[in-house]
Amino acid sequence: MPRTRAREVAIEIVRTLRDGGHVAYFAGGCVRDELLGLAPKDYDVATDAPPERVAGLFRRTREVGKAFGVMLVSISDVTVEVSTFRREHGYSDKRRPDTVSFCDAESDAHRRDFTINALFIDPLDLSGGEGGRVIDFAGGLADLRAGVLRAVGDPERRLAEDHLRALRAVRFAARLGFRIDDATADAIRRHARELEGVSRERIGDELRLMIADPRRAAALAMIESMGLDEPALGEPARNEAERGALPGVSALPGRGVRFGLGLA
């Protein structure tokens, strides 16, 4: 496992939390990427320590979502997001939970969007290999091995909480070369229109990430096949004869692309 500075700082944060009597793991996308042999862009830590305790254990912290249990911890030149394990309750704005309650790691895993994002690593327990012991409460390891993008639990419920997850599913599946499992894909198609209730800014952020990725053509093909083109792009859906008629997309440069669809 490459010992990057960011990983070393994240391990130091886990160790400090553990020495303070708390459970702490790597969580989310950094775990997924490490297990796929990819270099994580950054590291996130999840813990049972509440925000006030996190603030007391580290010299440099900043609140970014204290009500939701999210703090930033900075050590030297590296900043790591540290989140308290939580359950989420109610999504009246279809974006954020109305309230949260702190919980254990297993409950936290089951509130996450996709199984491959619901994995944890204990980097201090090397019994599972040099990267640390993997903790899997939602079947994410099997889905990583099979190349499947699957909602955690009931896909209808996961989408109802935040309809932007439909586009996130497409982005992750295209970027990783995964297929979206049937139940998750069916739920996305059934609720495609509800993406219209998501802000254009958030939709634009997801689309820009897709367009900047080398697998952008696959992402746009999935958007069309799932009926997300009209609500996401703000233009009439293509008929069957027109689908896939985006020959210039795959030739776009991979960086610095501006997505000129009125979403900027």
Side-chain angles (χ1 to χ4, degrees):
M1 185 62 58
R3 295 190 63 83
T4 64
R5 175 63 179 155
R7 194 177 204 276
E8 289 175 351
V9 167
I11 289 173
E12 182 179 346
I13 290 171
V14 168
R15 183 175 287 113
T16 299
L17 287 162
R18 198 75 58 81
D19 290 347
H22 297 284
V23 175
Y25 304 129
F26 290 175
C30 66
V31 176
R32 177 198 67 229
D33 288 350
E34 280 200 355
L35 293 174
L36 289 171
L38 304 173
K41 292 187 297 184
D42 48 37
Y43 282 82
D44 293 336
V45 169
T47 179
D48 65 354
E52 295 80 4
R53 177 65 170 156
V54 173
L57 286 171
F58 299 95
R59 290 178 53 197
R60 294 170 56 203
T61 63
R62 182 159 56 92
E63 299 174 6
V64 292
K66 186 177 178 182
F68 299 103
V70 183
M71 303 282 286
L72 295 181
V73 175
S74 297
I75 296 177
S76 183
D77 57 341
V78 176
T79 297
V80 173
E81 185 175 286
V82 178
S83 301
T84 306
F85 298 135
R86 68 182 185 267
R87 295 186 184 91
E88 299 180 343
H89 310 281
Y91 289 78
S92 57
D93 66 356
K94 305 299 183 185
R95 178 177 182 181
R96 298 187 187 92
D98 298 328
T99 60
V100 303
S101 57
F102 298 143
C103 61
D104 58 10
E106 183 170 5
S107 297
D108 182 271
H110 286 294
R111 61 93 185 166
R112 292 177 181 258
D113 53 4
F114 307 112
T115 62
I116 62 171
N117 294 336
L119 294 160
F120 301 107
I121 281 180
D122 180 349
L124 303 184
D125 182 350
L126 302 184
S127 63
E130 64 173 334
R133 179 173 62 92
V134 179
I135 300 155
D136 181 10
F137 295 112
L141 270 177
D143 285 339
L144 275 182
R145 295 186 183 114
V148 173
L149 193 289
R150 185 191 317 273
V152 173
D154 178 5
E156 302 270 349
R157 179 177 178 181
R158 294 285 84 83
L159 284 174
E161 291 166 349
D162 184 351
H163 291 296
L164 191 68
R165 285 174 172 169
L167 284 183
R168 284 171 57 81
V170 168
R171 176 163 64 85
F172 286 130
R175 175 193 163 213
L176 300 173
F178 282 21
R179 72 173 181 85
I180 300 177
D181 93 290
D182 292 343
T184 302
D186 288 346
I188 291 172
R189 290 188 183 96
R190 281 194 297 274
H191 297 279
R193 280 288 182 186
E194 294 173 48
L195 188 62
E196 293 175 345
V198 177
S199 76
R200 304 308 294 172
E201 179 183 6
R202 296 182 72 215
I203 290 173
D205 287 343
E206 285 295 320
L207 293 174
R208 278 185 284 272
L209 289 170
M210 291 182 206
I211 292 297
D213 190 273
R215 295 180 180 265
R216 61 184 72 86
L220 290 176
M222 284 188 207
I223 284 176
E224 287 190 335
S225 71
M226 295 193 176
L228 294 168
D229 41 348
E230 185 171 1
L233 305 180
E235 60 182 29
R238 304 179 200 279
N239 60 36
E240 287 301 318
E242 295 171 325
R243 288 190 184 277
L246 296 165
V249 168
S250 60
L252 288 171
R255 296 182 183 274
V257 176
R258 288 183 64 86
F259 198 50
L261 293 168
L263 300 172

